[in-house]
Amino acid sequence: MIATPTVSIKNSIAAYLLKVVFSFYFIITIVVTLTHMSAEFFNAKENVNHELDVIADTFSPGISQALWDLNAEQLQTTIWGIIKFPTVVGVKLEDDNGEEIAASGVFIDKNNKIMTALQDGTKKEITTYKGLFSRKFPNLYQHRGKENKLGVTTIYSSTGIVIDKVKLGFLFIVVNSVIKTVALWTLFLWIGRIYLTNPLASLTAVTEQINLDNLENLKAAVVTKGRNELKILEEAFNNMILKLQSSRNKLNELNKTLELKVEERTRQLSEANKELVKKNEIIIQDLMVAERIQKRLFTTYNPPPHLKIATKYIPHSHVSGDIYKIYPYSDNTYNLFLGDSTGHGVAAALSTVMANVILQDERRSSLEEIMGHLNDVFEQHLPSERFMSGILANIDSQGNLKIINAGHAPLIVIPADGSDPVLLEDRGILLGILPNSMFAIQTKEYSLVPGDQVVLYTDGIYERINEKEEIFGLQKLYFFLKENRFNDLDVLLSQLLEHVESYAQGKEIDDDITLIAFEYCG
């Protein structure tokens, strides 16, 4: 069965090849035809010139005799006899001085104007006549052995006469070229359809049927003669189908093997996932226990009458690297420690446990001794990349505030008189960076009056970022405390957290946050 071509004749390869080939053929045909027609024309013109020569040879004696005898009647009769020839359009006789003796038909006068001589003897100029050509011959007469020249006779013909002689031949040449062109065009298109377009349509049809599920039923069969390019294409296509069958079978085997492996891996992953879930539950339980234990470390004893205290603690995960401890130092004084270990999570939480043990053991020591002990233990027992910022404060019933700052953010004092908050900027060296021999401790003192409020915080509050990765910063924290004053310390810390969270635009926290505020009551 011959497949129906999937493209129109106009868009087929055969038509394209035909256009290319016949473009050159058409040009060559035109050139050959024009050359043939030109050759026919010049050959016909040469024949006309030859006829003019024969006419001249025939009538020359009669014209010479009439001129010698001064026989005007015979001369006119001879001229009219020449005019009767189909190849002649005019005759002109001139004497030796170039003066016109007689003329008939179309001729060129001595002023190079094309004229016509009528039978009544009148002459008039013709401006539209084209293509005149002529043959001249002398009028010679022999008298007593002497040759006498009596003048010159010019016989005229025209290209119109030549064209009339060849126009039928021209017509046959043009018709012949057109018939050959149309016949070759049709024949080429028909043969191209049979031997090129139809076989390609057959290959296209079988190609469109390619499907991995029916490869066994596909086979190209091109109807053509000999082992030409189409036959080679058919063989290549059938070989491709065989290779596809082989690859499909291998792929099916691989799929079966893969499915078994996937089932086995899925089972193994399921068991491993169950084991991970169990271990994760254990870890979460352990972290929850650690969270409860760590929170117990952050003890706040009942404050004395001269102090009000509020705290906010938000760990990044179950346990954190922040620690605060508020405890009585003597009957009238309280110690307050706030620390922030590098990082967060379990590793940072272990540092807070170490700090809590030291603070518990050194609860009666001086501020300098406590900070020195903390630095010594961290420097000796923590990895070099682990350290802690911390601030230790002591306040008595008289409002005397002593502070040691080890690389921590400055305290902010909110004066009771409504003046601008004060940043106690004196920062020392981080705990655990240097040995005690190089660890400089500076104790700063500040006097509080009743109503003064003091705010301590870790970097998780002022390093909070929003969706644009913009940091909240110490400046915004300072201006919030400057513009917002609250009698209730819990309200103060809650409003501060809400303000920072509004700035963060819902972005999750990425560090621990601890806030402590106390007010000296006098």
Side-chain angles (χ1 to χ4, degrees):
M1 178 180 179
I2 299 176
T4 301
T6 57
V7 295
S8 63
I9 295 177
K10 178 182 177 182
N11 297 322
S12 66
I13 293 178
Y16 175 76
L17 292 175
L18 186 64
K19 291 175 185 177
V20 174
V21 172
F22 270 85
S23 295
F24 291 101
Y25 175 81
F26 185 70
I27 294 172
I28 293 171
T29 299
I30 290 176
V31 172
V32 171
T33 301
L34 291 177
T35 302
H36 190 184
M37 292 173 69
S38 298
E40 287 289 327
F41 175 82
F42 287 110
N43 183 60
K45 186 176 180 180
E46 187 64 26
N47 290 335
V48 169
N49 282 324
H50 180 68
E51 289 184 27
L52 295 181
D53 289 339
V54 171
I55 292 172
D57 292 340
T58 302
F59 286 91
S60 178
I63 293 175
S64 297
Q65 183 66 49
L67 288 172
W68 181 261
D69 296 337
L70 300 177
N71 190 341
E73 183 179 352
Q74 181 184 351
L75 182 63
Q76 189 63 44
T77 301
T78 303
I79 291 174
W80 279 109
I82 295 173
I83 285 292
K84 295 297 183 180
F85 283 90
T87 56
V88 178
V89 296
V91 180
K92 181 178 71 171
L93 272 69
E94 296 172 312
D95 60 17
D96 288 342
N97 297 321
E99 293 297 326
E100 182 182 306
I101 299 173
S104 181
V106 180
F107 64 95
I108 298 175
D109 67 6
K110 63 181 179 179
N111 297 319
N112 286 325
K113 293 181 179 180
I114 300 176
M115 308 293 289
T116 181
L118 304 177
Q119 290 183 357
D120 58 3
T122 60
K123 301 172 184 177
K124 68 176 181 178
E125 183 181 358
I126 304 174
T127 59
T128 59
Y129 205 95
K130 304 293 181 181
L132 276 181
F133 62 92
S134 63
R135 303 290 280 186
K136 291 184 177 183
F137 58 92
N139 298 316
L140 302 175
Y141 185 77
Q142 293 283 343
H143 181 69
R144 296 178 180 179
K146 181 180 178 181
E147 188 175 63
N148 300 287
K149 185 177 181 181
L150 304 179
V152 177
T153 300
T154 305
I155 302 176
Y156 292 92
S157 186
S158 70
T159 55
I161 291 175
V162 177
I163 291 173
D164 285 340
K165 285 180 172 293
V166 298
K167 63 182 179 182
L168 185 59
F170 281 3
L171 179 61
F172 282 133
I173 291 172
V174 172
V175 171
N176 178 58
S177 298
V178 171
I179 291 174
K180 286 194 296 184
T181 301
V182 172
L184 285 174
W185 182 286
T186 305
L187 183 62
F188 190 94
L189 191 60
W190 176 61
I191 293 175
R193 195 73 169 173
I194 294 174
Y195 292 103
L196 184 61
T197 304
N198 290 339
L200 287 177
S202 176
L203 283 173
T204 302
V206 73
T207 302
E208 290 176 345
Q209 298 174 19
I210 292 178
N211 189 305
L212 290 179
D213 296 330
N214 70 338
L215 294 177
E216 289 79 7
N217 300 323
L218 288 180
K219 186 175 182 180
V222 175
V223 179
T224 185
K225 292 185 177 181
R227 192 172 182 274
N228 54 30
E229 291 88 340
L230 291 172
K231 203 65 178 179
I232 293 173
L233 186 60
E234 171 199 299
E235 294 171 359
F237 177 85
N238 291 331
N239 288 332
M240 180 191 71
I241 294 298
L242 294 175
K243 290 178 181 179
L244 282 176
Q245 291 179 23
S246 177
S247 299
R248 181 200 59 187
N249 295 336
K250 290 179 181 178
L251 183 61
N252 289 337
E253 291 297 324
L254 288 174
N255 284 337
K256 290 179 182 178
T257 304
L258 182 61
E259 288 174 1
L260 294 175
K261 289 183 178 181
V262 168
E263 289 178 3
E264 178 62 20
R265 294 293 186 272
T266 303
R267 183 188 62 78
Q268 293 175 356
L269 288 173
S270 178
E271 292 177 358
N273 186 58
K274 289 178 181 178
E275 187 66 23
L276 286 174
V277 170
K278 290 180 181 179
K279 291 181 179 180
N280 188 55
E281 290 175 352
I282 294 173
I283 292 173
I284 292 176
Q285 291 174 2
D286 290 342
L287 287 174
M288 293 176 66
V289 172
E291 180 182 6
R292 291 195 297 270
I293 293 172
Q294 188 181 38
K295 285 183 178 179
R296 290 179 182 178
L297 300 179
F298 303 161
T299 54
T300 302
Y301 293 87
N302 291 328
H306 64 273
L307 287 179
K308 292 180 182 178
I309 299 176
T311 62
K312 293 291 182 184
Y313 169 66
I314 305 173
H316 175 262
S317 57
H318 288 283
V319 291
S320 78
D322 285 0
I323 178 175
Y324 71 89
K325 197 171 184 66
I326 306 171
Y327 59 92
Y329 179 70
S330 64
D331 291 340
N332 295 319
T333 64
Y334 252 67
N335 277 357
L336 186 149
F337 178 80
L338 177 61
D340 184 1
S341 180
T342 52
H344 39 74
V346 175
L350 291 176
S351 300
T352 67
V353 173
M354 294 173 63
N356 181 74
V357 171
I358 295 170
L359 291 170
Q360 190 68 28
D361 290 344
E362 301 285 342
R363 58 187 301 121
R364 298 303 177 188
S365 302
S366 66
L367 300 184
E368 292 81 2
E369 291 173 337
I370 294 173
M371 294 299 272
H373 194 184
L374 284 169
N375 180 73
D376 186 51
V377 171
F378 287 165
E379 193 272 331
Q380 291 187 36
H381 299 287
L382 290 181
S384 59
E385 71 273 9
R386 291 285 174 182
F387 47 85
M388 178 182 285
S389 69
I391 189 164
L392 181 61
N394 176 271
I395 182 170
D396 63 16
S397 59
Q398 302 302 315
N400 297 313
L401 179 64
K402 296 180 180 180
I403 303 166
I404 296 178
N405 191 329
H408 200 78
L411 280 75
I412 300 178
V413 179
I414 306 173
D417 60 6
S419 59
D420 290 344
V422 179
L423 273 74
L424 304 184
E425 289 279 6
D426 297 318
R427 297 195 191 190
I429 301 173
L430 292 164
L431 298 170
I433 295 292
L434 299 174
N436 271 1
S437 60
M438 302 174 65
F439 184 67
I441 299 176
Q442 294 183 343
T443 303
K444 301 294 182 180
E445 295 187 4
Y446 187 88
S447 295
L448 299 176
V449 298
D452 284 351
Q453 296 174 344
V454 180
V455 177
L456 295 83
Y457 47 89
T458 56
D459 59 7
I461 190 71
Y462 64 81
E463 289 183 354
R464 195 82 165 86
I465 59 175
N466 58 19
E467 291 292 335
K468 297 180 180 179
E469 302 296 322
E470 298 170 334
I471 195 169
F472 183 73
L474 277 173
Q475 188 177 30
K476 289 186 178 64
L477 175 61
Y478 175 84
F479 279 109
F480 176 83
L481 296 175
K482 177 182 177 181
E483 301 296 330
N484 298 276
R485 297 175 181 269
F486 303 92
N487 293 327
D488 190 310
L489 296 179
D490 279 321
V491 174
L492 168 64
L493 299 185
S494 297
Q495 290 296 317
L496 175 57
L497 283 173
E498 287 183 12
H499 180 67
V500 174
E501 287 306 309
S502 174
Y503 177 84
Q505 301 174 341
K507 189 174 178 63
E508 294 184 2
I509 64 171
D510 56 2
D511 198 1
D512 309 311
I513 297 176
T514 303
L515 296 172
I516 301 175
F518 66 86
E519 180 179 337
Y520 174 63
C521 302

